[in-house]
Amino acid sequence: MDTGTHIVMGVALAGLATLDPVVHNDPALFNAVLVGTIVGSHAPDFDTVLKLKNNATYIRHHRGATHSVPAVILWGILIASIIYMFVPQVNFLHLWIWTFLAVIIHVFVDIFNAYGTQAYRPFTSKWIAHGFINTFDPYIFMLHIAGIGVWALGANPGITWLVIYAVILLYYIKRFIDKREIVRKIKDHFPNTEQIATSPTIKQNYWRVAITTDTKFYVGAAENGHIEIIDEFNKVPLPESAIMELAQKDKNISAFLSFSPVYRWEVNDYDDFTEVRFIDLRYRSKGYYPFVAVVQIDDNMRIMSSYTGWIFSENKLQSKLHVEESPI
């Protein structure tokens, strides 16, 4: 989920914590829990700082190690311990429980969007992305804002958040059913389907879909239960060539390939260099595929420049390739 949603979830969890008699009867502990749940609800995304290094590092590691099973355990202990240093009179066990729960919920809700997370590391590095809740869902966010408002007006926080989370649970079930119906219709139409990537949008009735069959990739949209195929591409394996082998060694290309499960590739020869481009098919927007990885290799088999990330115009991509740090 987005940063704003994670933060309001932290506030909500502090409200739920008032159902715990130990927290309810100790104002100092409640304040400590409030800090713990807000920080814990955001802590796994502290790896966003990797953007300061480069996109390749960020893409390869975001929602990876910081969302893993060991990290979830360590985040809860670390955050609760730091808070406890400032308020040693509070009950550490209950502070840790609610902080730990905030971290768990952060990782848990992240697995339901299209980006996903490596939540099962170190047991597997597979990306878990169920793809039926948008990264920013206005309904979930506004329910949290409403809950905070009602709480501020004097409503019982525990009961308030129990009701709101019961509604959110029903909403998750509805979205899961919506996705299951889309998948069923696709499989009925393409019986040789190997993989379906769904990307919900802010619009409740509009989804992006990327379909992999044994011979083709199909890109489409599902709107009001109707599925429209917009693009189709032949499924061509990567060639065994020196150019492609070198391209895959580039940090930007390898980061892209470690993350993207549905992509097409193309090789373009120019006067002085060869360009290898990988295009993620899951995120088509306004006729453009914005998530790409590109490497340019000169005639002496040296990498000139490369880039991976979100680009919404060819001019912007070319400017990035010229200003990006040399991958060599």
Side-chain angles (χ1 to χ4, degrees), residues 62-76:
H62 181 52
R63 293 195 181 181
T66 58
H67 288 62
S68 66
V69 173
V72 168
I73 296 171
L74 290 173
W75 280 127

Side-chain angles (χ1 to χ4, degrees), residues 124-315:
T124 174
S125 59
K126 180 181 179 182
W127 284 88
I128 312 300
H130 295 302
F132 60 83
I133 297 293
N134 194 25
T135 301
F136 173 74
D137 189 297
Y139 296 92
I140 293 174
F141 183 76
M142 292 311 298
L143 278 170
H144 280 85
I145 294 299
I148 293 171
V150 171
W151 182 8
L153 291 174
N156 182 291
I159 300 302
T160 297
W161 291 112
L162 278 178
V163 171
I164 287 175
Y165 273 91
V167 173
I168 291 175
L169 176 61
L170 293 175
Y171 177 69
Y172 268 70
I173 293 172
K174 177 206 177 278
R175 295 296 276 171
F176 168 75
I177 293 172
D178 290 344
K179 176 189 170 172
R180 187 175 62 178
E181 181 63 16
I182 291 170
V183 169
R184 184 191 65 78
K185 289 182 177 181
I186 291 172
K187 288 184 175 180
D188 286 346
H189 190 74
F190 298 103
N192 56 343
T193 294
E194 295 179 349
Q195 182 180 6
I196 301 170
T198 55
S199 299
T201 67
I202 291 179
K203 297 179 180 178
Q204 278 291 298
N205 61 341
Y206 189 86
W207 301 58
R208 300 186 187 96
V209 295
I211 306 159
T212 305
T213 70
D214 54 348
T215 59
K216 287 183 178 293
F217 295 117
Y218 297 93
V219 179
E223 186 171 12
N224 296 321
H226 173 72
I227 298 169
E228 178 187 5
I229 301 301
I230 300 169
D231 278 336
E232 65 176 81
F233 307 96
N234 291 327
K235 185 180 178 183
V236 181
L238 294 178
E240 296 181 2
S241 66
I243 283 284
M244 189 60 72
E245 183 178 339
L246 179 59
Q248 291 180 76
K249 293 178 180 178
D250 174 76
K251 66 181 181 183
N252 285 297
I253 300 298
S254 62
F256 175 95
L257 294 177
S258 72
F259 168 73
S260 178
V262 187
Y263 62 85
R264 68 181 184 90
W265 58 272
E266 56 187 42
V267 177
N268 298 299
D269 292 316
Y270 298 95
D271 291 338
D272 302 324
F273 64 92
T274 299
E275 181 183 276
V276 181
R277 183 176 299 205
F278 292 84
I279 303 151
D280 194 305
L281 299 179
R282 295 174 296 171
Y283 305 113
R284 187 180 189 275
S285 176
K286 299 179 180 178
Y288 195 78
Y289 294 91
F291 187 59
V292 301
V294 180
V295 59
Q296 295 177 341
I297 302 171
D298 69 19
D299 294 338
N300 295 314
M301 292 297 290
R302 293 179 301 188
I303 295 176
M304 299 164 52
S305 62
S306 67
Y307 177 80
T308 186
W310 299 86
I311 294 292
F312 289 87
S313 74
E314 187 63 26
N315 288 338

